Amino acid sequence: LVRVEKMDVTDQAQILALATKLEGQPIDVLINNAGIYQYQGTYDNQLFGKLDFDAFDAFFHTNVKGPMMVTQAFIDHVKASRQKKVISISTSHSMITRPPMVKGAFWYGSSKAALNKNMMTLSHVLKPEGVIVVLFHPGAVLTERQADLKFPGMIETTTSVGGMIGAIERLTIADTGRFLLYDGTPQDW
């Protein structure tokens, strides 16, 4: 059963209201997918020399604080489910072990690296209760926003989403704390 609800992940009151509305409803797979890549419609404020420090706050509020607020509010729903899975969508921009793909994205990359660290910590906190916490990099997906890029290695949305659905279905408690590509391949941190 899939249920669609509307909620702003940066608004704790909305998050708590929805968690209360769904009280007693088990959630097998909680997916933290909301996030921002651009601030006020431009990428320039993430370039060194032009860094907008108000943008920093917006990125961390949405990309780090949001998933943590959502997960905390809905964790009892997840614990009450059969699958007990918390999934967060990250990015290759968060990887510290490899050179950046672009010369910027300071706030996006660092906020997603912070999300990775928080979810890794959370995986250790929740493992004794049987909750699986995993991060996914969806790949370089040809979304509407990136349709004009079409560089080598970009994949269709159906490939990314289909791969993640299959990989999520196969997750076990042994996978908790991992960072995976959409197809389940382990990713560098």
Side-chain angles (χ1 to χ4, degrees):
L1 172 69
V2 174
R3 180 176 178 156
V4 178
E5 295 282 349
K6 186 176 179 180
M7 170 185 72
D8 181 343
V9 301
T10 66
D11 185 327
Q12 189 170 24
Q14 285 187 33
I15 294 167
L16 294 174
L18 184 56
T20 299
K21 176 182 175 183
L22 299 178
E23 189 171 344
Q25 297 280 324
I27 297 176
D28 279 322
V29 182
L30 176 66
I31 300 176
N32 291 304
N33 184 46
I36 58 172
Y37 180 77
Q38 292 181 327
Y39 177 71
Q40 296 183 341
T42 181
Y43 174 76
D44 289 350
N45 51 32
Q46 292 188 76
L47 298 173
F48 190 74
K50 298 180 180 181
L51 292 173
D52 178 341
F53 294 95
D54 289 332
F56 173 92
D57 294 336
F59 276 88
F60 275 76
H61 188 72
T62 304
N63 297 352
V64 184
K65 185 178 176 184
M68 293 303 293
M69 289 191 302
V70 168
T71 302
Q72 182 170 280
F74 287 93
I75 197 58
D76 288 339
H77 299 80
V78 174
K79 288 178 184 177
S81 74
R82 186 178 51 80
Q83 293 187 45
K84 297 179 170 75
K85 296 174 182 174
V86 175
I87 307 301
S88 293
I89 305 303
S90 190
T91 176
S92 59
H93 290 282
S94 69
M95 297 175 183
I96 296 171
T97 56
R98 75 177 209 194
M101 295 176 7
V102 295
K103 294 181 180 179
F106 277 88
W107 305 150
Y108 179 68
S110 60
S111 67
K112 289 295 190 170
L115 172 68
N116 291 2
K117 177 59 179 173
N118 282 346
M119 289 299 157
M120 168 61 83
T121 302
L122 188 61
S123 74
H124 290 281
V125 169
L126 296 176
K127 185 175 183 178
E129 299 180 68
V131 177
I132 301 164
V133 180
V134 173
L135 293 134
F136 275 89
H137 168 37
V141 183
L142 283 165
T143 61
E144 296 86 13
R145 184 177 56 81
Q146 299 185 130
D148 59 331
L149 297 179
K150 295 188 182 182
F151 58 82
M154 292 195 81
I155 59 173
E156 295 292 333
T157 303
T158 53
T159 301
S160 176
V161 172
M164 283 190 284
I165 289 171
I168 290 168
E169 287 175 359
R170 295 187 299 272
L171 293 174
T172 69
I173 197 68
D175 296 306
T176 197
R178 296 180 75 195
F179 182 24
L180 305 172
L181 188 59
Y182 66 92
D183 62 2
T185 304
Q187 288 293 282
D188 293 330
W189 291 93

